[in-house]
Amino acid sequence: LPDSCRTLCDCSEAAKTVKCVDGNLTAVPPDLPPYVRTLFITGNRLDCLPAGAFPAQRLSHLSALNLSGNHLRDVEAGALATLPALRLLDLSGNPLASLSPLAFGEGGSPLEELVLRGALRDHGVLLSLASVLQSGVLRNLSRLELADNGLLLLPAGMFTALPSLRQLDLSNNSLVGLRNVSFQGLGQLQSLDLSNNSLVGLRNVSFQGLGQLQSLDLSNNSLGMLRNSTLAQFRSLPALRRIELGHNTWVCDCAIEDLVAWLKETDQVVGKEALTCTYPDNMLGKTLLKINISDLNCSVPVDLPSQLQTSYVFLGIVLALIGAIFLLVLYLNRKGIKKWMHNIRDACRDHMEGYHYRYEINADPRLTNLSSNSDV
């Protein structure tokens, strides 16, 4: 047996498994047995995964590699490119700071499952992962787990080059929206987990192209409503059989009408009987399925633009009426107004003549002296 199987690792040739657990390893053991198909190197201190860490000539049958919890920060170019049989890679619980776009090589990887739970806290490494996924080197990937990473937003077009993806786990993050996220190209996706985030809406999310989607978990978010366009997308997905919507902050006003109607007719939603209102206060705790549309006073659809348009028309009518009344008053009082205008004209004429008389006196010295003597 290799030295590592005697001192550092637990090796089982019958199970074709090697476990190097909690051994304070700082590098991958160089003498791993060639029969290994499942390799656990966890709870160590690898820090860096350099190129050639796993020699292909010795590990040509390695199909499952677990490197979780190793304080791993850097995955260099070519570090995982020499494993022709690799199908599962688990890098969970590592504080990754650098992931080379060439970590899996250039010619394409056979990798089918990639687990990065709690490994993408650094925003820079998230962008690096997006570059890797968009390069097409992981076209065979069928399962991608990105849970527990505190993600707020996802890079645009991150999943567009993953045609074989069947399961996508984005749970336990802090996603507030999916505005830049496109699921187009994920024609094989069967399970999408978006639970335990902070999603407040799905207005710009398109599920088009997800013809194989079977399970969608939207629980434990901050969804207040689902628009009719989103519900129409759910109806158009032929394979979608399971939708989870529990523990969201449903706002039970007039906008909830479409959602309530859909819930009453669909059998896709798991536990729909437990969905309750959060706002407003008078609807708190009321079950969505028991809401009567008549209680919401929604006989007239709420359409803010049309309301504004109606208000402007009404204001115009009022102003026109005021103008007409003003003109009518002027017409009825035309004689009095004419007399009033004549009086003003005469008063102005007398006033101007007084100014003119004073000007003539001031301009003639004799009249000025006369005026002064007469004043005395």
Side-chain angles (χ1 to χ4, degrees):
L1 290 177
D3 291 340
S4 60
C5 286
R6 296 192 186 97
T7 59
L8 302 175
C9 306
D10 181 12
C11 303
S12 172
E13 185 171 1
K16 301 187 184 304
T17 300
V18 173
K19 296 181 179 180
C20 307
V21 180
D22 299 328
N24 289 322
L25 296 177
T26 58
V28 177
D31 52 354
L32 294 170
Y35 62 74
V36 62
R37 294 190 177 182
T38 303
L39 175 60
F40 292 85
I41 304 179
T42 63
N44 293 285
R45 297 184 174 277
L46 296 186
D47 186 64
C48 179
L49 202 62
F54 302 97
Q57 61 273 18
R58 290 185 61 85
L59 304 176
S60 58
H61 302 293
L62 182 63
S63 61
L65 176 59
N66 190 327
L67 296 172
S68 61
N70 278 307
H71 299 88
L72 189 62
R73 294 185 56 81
D74 299 319
V75 180
E76 297 181 356
L80 301 163
T82 56
L83 298 173
L86 188 63
R87 298 293 184 272
L88 168 63
L89 174 63
D90 190 344
L91 292 170
S92 300
N94 287 295
L96 293 178
S98 174
L99 175 64
S100 172
L102 300 177
F104 297 92
E106 299 181 11
S109 170
L111 193 67
E112 296 177 355
E113 299 182 51
L114 178 58
V115 183
L116 292 165
R117 181 179 290 270
L120 301 175
R121 300 284 177 173
D122 186 286
H123 183 66
V125 78
L126 174 63
L127 298 178
S128 298
L129 173 64
S131 298
V132 172
L133 298 178
Q134 291 171 332
S135 70
V137 70
L138 297 179
R139 294 182 61 83
N140 295 313
L141 203 64
S142 62
R143 174 177 170 240
L144 178 59
E145 185 172 334
L146 304 177
D148 299 330
N149 283 302
L151 302 177
L152 294 173
L153 295 170
L154 296 175
M158 184 173 180
F159 308 119
T160 54
L162 300 175
S164 302
L165 196 65
R166 290 184 171 85
Q167 182 177 354
L168 176 58
D169 187 350
L170 290 166
S171 62
N172 293 295
N173 283 292
S174 300
L175 296 172
V176 295
L178 299 174
R179 178 169 298 181
N180 295 318
V181 179
S182 172
F183 297 111
Q184 294 182 355
L186 302 184
Q188 302 299 317
L189 192 65
Q190 297 177 355
S191 176
L192 176 57
D193 191 347
L194 292 165
S195 62
N196 290 289
N197 283 287
S198 301
L199 293 173
V200 295
L202 299 173
R203 179 178 298 183
N204 298 309
V205 180
S206 173
F207 298 100
Q208 293 180 354
L210 301 185
Q212 303 299 317
L213 185 64
Q214 299 175 4
S215 176
L216 175 61
D217 191 347
L218 293 167
S219 61
N220 290 284
N221 282 288
S222 299
L223 295 173
M225 61 170 291
L226 292 178
R227 295 181 179 274
N228 207 22
S229 57
T230 301
L231 302 178
Q233 290 191 65
F234 292 162
R235 294 189 187 97
S236 68
L237 297 174
L240 186 58
R241 294 291 179 268
R242 183 183 181 88
I243 303 175
E244 297 187 39
L245 296 172
H247 302 287
N248 280 288
T249 55
W250 302 113
V251 179
C252 296
D253 57 12
C254 294
I256 203 76
E257 184 175 356
D258 292 332
L259 175 60
V260 171
W262 175 70
L263 287 174
K264 291 180 178 179
E265 71 178 28
T266 186
D267 58 357
Q268 295 173 302
V269 180
V270 179
K272 61 182 180 180
E273 299 81 6
L275 301 181
T276 58
C277 302
T278 303
Y279 304 102
D281 292 339
N282 64 321
M283 299 292 286
L284 179 63
K286 188 173 182 64
T287 304
L288 265 62
L289 288 177
K290 295 182 179 179
I291 292 178
N292 293 319
I293 302 304
S294 58
D295 297 337
L296 300 176
N297 296 321
C298 297
S299 57
V300 179
V302 177
D303 188 353
L304 184 58
S306 64
Q307 285 185 346
L308 290 175
Q309 184 177 3
T310 303
S311 299
Y312 290 142
V313 171
F314 179 74
L315 179 61
I317 293 174
V318 171
L319 292 176
L321 182 60
I322 293 174
I325 294 174
F326 179 73
L327 292 175
L328 180 61
V329 170
L330 291 178
Y331 177 76
L332 295 176
N333 292 276
R334 61 188 184 279
K335 293 183 178 179
I337 294 173
K338 185 176 181 181
K339 182 178 180 181
W340 177 71
M341 293 294 293
H342 283 303
N343 292 336
I344 292 178
R345 183 186 63 183
D346 293 340
C348 290
R349 181 183 296 166
D350 293 341
H351 195 64
M352 292 302 295
E353 287 179 352
Y355 274 114
H356 183 67
Y357 177 71
R358 285 180 173 273
Y359 174 77
E360 289 179 346
I361 291 176
N362 292 333
D364 191 337
R366 294 172 300 172
L367 295 178
T368 301
N369 294 332
L370 180 60
S371 176
S372 299
N373 293 332
S374 62
D375 290 341
V376 175

